[in-house]
Amino acid sequence: MENMPLLFENKVIKAHSEEIINYIKQHVEDFGELGEDYWKGRQIYMNQVRDPHIVQIMRNHKDYMLEEFVKLCEIDKPVYVDSLHFVRWTEGYELHPHADAVDNPFPWRDFGTVTFLNEDFEGGVLYYPNKDNLEVPAKAGYTAIHTGGTDCLHGVSKMTKGVRYTIASFITYNQQYEFKL
């Protein structure tokens, strides 16, 4: 898609980002211990969230994000979210450029999303090397969406200070992989 990556204000998360971060900080043990596996101890999946109010916010986020995506990209067929989780990026972490649906076990991921929850950190910039090295600065309450293919390779620069909190999710045309929240 020519207009990718796409960045838009996510009104649901903008209104509730502090509340979500407070929940995450109060339940940091849900991340588990950091380990040798890159993602171990860095994600909280929605089935781990015990607060019904936060779960409802995330339902609203999922619905709003899909509605905006379909509208802005003029998508004419159904799309589904296949996962939705909180991610924490601590100092020293980075993610080298990759495609969400290539060379991994998730070829159905047509699009990837990053929704920013905070801005009070250094480093951790979302970037797109094959889009003229486009950098997307973190702005709480904004969602970036990109294709899952090599046309939107993306990475995250090394975290140098603080903790970056995001909501990661993936969008697919394949209803078989729909995550129901």
Side-chain angles (χ1 to χ4, degrees), residues 17-85:
S17 61
E18 287 183 35
E19 195 173 351
I20 294 169
I21 289 174
N22 287 337
Y23 174 85
I24 291 170
K25 288 179 178 179
Q26 291 168 6
H27 296 86
V28 72
E29 71 279 358
D30 290 349
F31 284 110
E33 295 294 321
L34 291 172
E36 289 188 27
D37 175 87
Y38 182 80
W39 294 107
K40 185 174 176 8
R42 299 190 46 234
Q43 301 177 96
I44 296 176
Y45 291 90
M46 288 303 106
N47 63 356
Q48 295 173 267
V49 176
R50 298 180 296 275
D51 182 330
H53 179 65
I54 298 296
V55 171
Q56 186 59 52
I57 291 170
M58 296 308 293
R59 275 191 196 106
N60 295 345
H61 157 66
K62 179 180 74 105
D63 294 344
Y64 181 82
M65 179 179 64
L66 287 177
E67 288 170 14
E68 285 297 297
F69 171 63
V70 165
K71 179 176 69 177
L72 293 169
C73 292
E74 299 176 354
I75 303 290
D76 60 357
K77 56 186 175 179
V79 290
Y80 310 92
V81 169
D82 94 331
S83 69
L84 188 65
H85 49 279

